[in-house]
Amino acid sequence: MRIDAARAGRYARAGWRWLRLLAPLPRRHGLRVFYGHDLVPAAGEPVAGGSAKFQRLASRFPNDPSGFTLLYLGSTWLPRDLGPLLDLAKRRSVPVVVNQDGVAYPAWAGNRTEELNDGYGRALAAADHVIYQSGFSKRSADEFLGEPRGSWEILPNAVDVSHFTPAAHAPAGGPVLLLGGDQTQEYRLELGLRAFAQVLGSEPAARLLVTGRLVSSAEPLLEELGLRDRVEFLGRYSQREAPAIMHRAHLLLHTKVQDPCPSVVIEAMACGLPVVYPASGGTVELVDGEAGIGVPHPVGWDRDQPPAPEDLADAVLRVLADRATYAEGARRRAVERFDVHPWLDRHEELFNQLLAKPQLR
C-alpha cells in the first residue's frame, strides 16, 4: 500500500497538535489566531482557493495551532477536524470568526450539495462573527445555510496594491487576454477558449494566456478551434509571480458564473487590467462599471448558464477599444476599495473586540 507522504505529514502534525491542545497546560492570553490548519502557505508560496486570504492574514497574525485564543475559519478551506475544533472552542470560550465565501448549490455540487453545506452550516452556526466576502455571499448563505446567530459584516477580499501594480508599459503586439486563477469547472476553460476564438475574428494578432489547474484536457478544443499556436498554458503560480504574469496581458477574462469574491479579479484590477466577466455573483460588486464590462446571462441555482462566447467576445472588444479608461478605473478602484492594509486593520480591530467581550454560549 502506497502512503502519500504529504497526507501522512498532515495527519502527524494534526495528531501532535491535539496532544498539545488536550494537555493540561496554562491558558494563553493575548491575541493568538489559529486558521484550522497546521500549515498556512508562507509569503510567496502558491495558494489555491481560500488559502490566499490566510496567507495575507498570517503576515500580521501568525498561525498558532496549539495556543490559540481565537479561531478563524474560511468556508473554502475548512479543516477536516472541524467538529472537534468547534467543540474545543466552545469549551474554552474561544471566539470563532468565519469568513464566508460561497455555498454549494445544485448546479455545481449536484448530489453533494447537502453534504458540503452541512460543513459550511456547522461553521456558520458556531461563529461569534461572520465576515461575508460580498453581498452575494450573504444572500446565498442565507438561502442555503440560514442566518448567523452572531454579528456579521460584509468585507471583500483584499490584495497588496504595492505588490500588484500596473506594468510600466502595456505589452507589445496584439491584445493579450488572461484567463487567470484555476479552471476548476470544465465550462470555464471551454467558454474562455470559444470567446477567444471569436475575438480572433476582429483581432487576428490576439493571444490567450491560461493559468492554473485544469480539470479537463484542452487538446480537443484547441484542435477544433485552431488555437494551438495562439494559447499558452502557464500552470499554477505563486503570489510572488502573479504580477509578472498579469503584466503580460491587456485584459482579464474571468469566466466563472456566480463567483462570490474572486481574488484574481482584484489582483488584475490592481495591476490595471480591465475585467470582462459574467454579470453575476460578487464579481459585479468588485468590478462595477468603471473597471470592466459584465455580460448578462441567466442566473439560477439548478443550472449554470454562462453567457454566450459571442457576447463575451463583444465585451472584450468594447473594453479594448477604450482600454486606457478602463485600466485607470480598475487600478483606482482596487487602491480605494481593496487594499490589504485597511483589511488587516479591520481584522485587528475585530479580533480585539471579540477578545474583550465575554463569550456566552
Side-chain angles (χ1 to χ4, degrees):
M1 178 178 171
R2 184 177 178 181
I3 298 176
D4 185 315
R7 180 180 297 178
R10 287 197 300 271
Y11 289 156
R13 285 189 295 270
W16 176 237
R17 165 166 49 87
W18 276 104
L19 284 174
R20 287 176 289 167
L21 283 171
L22 297 176
L25 298 175
R27 283 285 304 274
R28 299 281 187 94
H29 297 283
L31 176 58
R32 298 170 183 271
V33 183
F34 179 41
Y35 302 105
H37 296 266
D38 294 281
L39 293 179
V40 172
E45 290 182 354
V47 292
S51 62
K53 69 178 66 65
F54 293 93
Q55 186 181 63
R56 292 167 185 141
L57 282 165
S59 67
R60 184 178 295 188
F61 315 106
N63 192 34
D64 191 335
S66 60
F68 61 93
T69 58
L70 185 142
L71 182 60
Y72 190 105
L73 302 172
S75 63
T76 51
W77 204 41
L78 290 174
R80 293 180 182 273
D81 52 356
L82 173 66
L85 278 175
L86 293 177
D87 289 341
L88 181 70
K90 183 176 182 178
R91 289 198 307 271
R92 295 187 175 180
S93 296
V94 169
V96 177
V97 177
V98 169
N99 191 297
Q100 180 63 41
D101 187 19
V103 297
Y105 60 92
W108 71 264
N111 58 13
R112 294 194 64 209
T113 297
E114 188 172 334
E115 171 196 345
L116 291 171
N117 282 336
D118 179 64
Y120 303 154
R122 290 173 69 191
L124 195 74
D128 297 283
H129 188 84
V130 180
I131 294 174
Y132 295 98
Q133 293 184 18
S134 62
F136 171 77
S137 294
K138 175 69 167 66
R139 293 190 298 273
S140 58
D142 287 353
E143 174 81 14
F144 285 91
L145 310 178
E147 297 190 14
R149 68 168 181 84
S151 55
W152 62 272
E153 66 187 283
I154 294 172
L155 184 67
N157 288 332
V159 305
D160 185 349
V161 297
S162 65
H163 176 63
F164 288 92
T165 59
H169 304 285
V176 179
L177 280 60
L178 173 64
L179 193 64
D182 282 322
Q183 313 312 316
T184 50
Q185 283 101 3
E186 195 168 333
Y187 76 83
R188 292 170 63 177
L189 177 61
E190 178 177 359
L191 180 57
L193 292 175
R194 292 193 182 280
F196 174 65
Q198 295 289 324
V199 170
L200 283 173
S202 300
E203 294 283 356
R207 291 176 291 129
L208 176 67
L209 306 177
V210 179
T211 70
R213 180 169 61 91
L214 309 182
V215 295
S216 57
S217 172
E219 289 302 316
L221 266 177
L222 294 175
E223 184 71 27
E224 175 192 336
L225 300 172
L227 299 178
R228 285 190 183 279
D229 60 346
R230 294 292 185 180
V231 181
E232 182 179 353
F233 293 87
L234 304 179
R236 293 189 67 194
Y237 57 91
S238 70
Q239 293 285 283
R240 185 181 294 115
E241 299 166 318
I245 291 174
M246 293 187 179
H247 291 171
R248 295 179 58 187
H250 295 87
L251 175 150
L252 178 74
L253 180 61
H254 187 68
T255 54
K256 183 176 179 179
V257 303
Q258 303 207 95
D259 205 344
C261 187
S263 289
V264 68
V265 166
I266 305 174
E267 293 165 0
M269 288 164 53
C271 289
L273 291 190
V275 184
V276 171
Y277 63 98
S280 60
T283 312
V284 179
E285 301 167 44
L286 299 179
V287 183
D288 199 21
E290 62 181 320
I293 294 178
V295 180
H297 66 99
V299 174
W301 299 121
D302 294 326
R303 180 184 173 197
D304 281 337
Q305 301 181 70
E310 297 81 4
D311 294 339
L312 276 179
D314 178 68
V316 167
L317 296 173
R318 284 188 284 148
V319 167
L320 290 174
D322 195 13
R323 183 185 177 277
T325 301
Y326 282 113
E328 181 181 342
R331 173 63 182 176
R332 181 176 60 248
R333 189 168 175 82
V335 170
E336 291 177 354
R337 294 172 179 262
F338 307 116
D339 179 31
V340 74
H341 297 293
W343 184 79
L344 289 171
D345 290 343
R346 171 55 193 149
H347 276 85
E348 185 165 6
E349 178 185 38
L350 171 65
F351 293 167
N352 288 327
Q353 288 172 348
L354 289 171
L355 288 180
K357 181 179 177 182
Q359 301 301 310
L360 302 175
R361 301 191 185 188

